[in-house]
Amino acid sequence: TALGLLVGSAVKDPGVAMEFLPAIFMPQILLSGFFVPPDLIPVWICWVGKIFPLTYAMLITLIVELDGRCDAIVDEEGGPNHCDQVLRNINADPDDLWFYWIVLCSEFVVFRLLALTILERKARRFY
């Protein structure tokens, strides 16, 4: 919501803000590890995924849902735990859960403050 508010406050027309939605959300979906594991993303663009809130929200969600929850579930051959494999594929470390929360909350505050700054400047120009 904070990122959407930032974009909405930066443009003049709500229709223009709606046109920016794909440009905001598609890179997040593609670079956060949601569809493609971070190891398969080229190194020169992988760092961009670390900026997006969806990356940290997804890491938090998967750690909370999968960490230690399916220890008893193994495949027929007694193979590896698939939950742990999913966490390894997206480079989610359960020990870093608090770090992910801090980054996500910090991004929320920063994006909201940027939106507030933009709205304040627009209000000064208007009055």
Side-chain angles (χ1 to χ4, degrees), residues 15 32 38 66 74 86:
S32 68
L66 299 178
V74 293
V86 169

Side-chain angles (χ1 to χ4, degrees), residues 3 6 24 27-29 31-33 44-57 59 99-100 102-108 110-111 114:
L3 192 56
L6 175 64
I24 294 170
Q28 287 192 63
I29 292 171
L31 298 175
S32 68
W44 59 272
I45 199 165
C46 190
W47 65 271
V48 177
K50 301 292 184 194
I51 298 171
F52 297 136
L54 182 62
T55 301
Y56 297 100
L59 289 170
F99 173 73
Y100 301 147
I102 290 169
V103 172
L104 187 63
C105 292
S106 298
E107 286 183 342
F108 176 80
V110 167
F111 290 147
L114 285 172

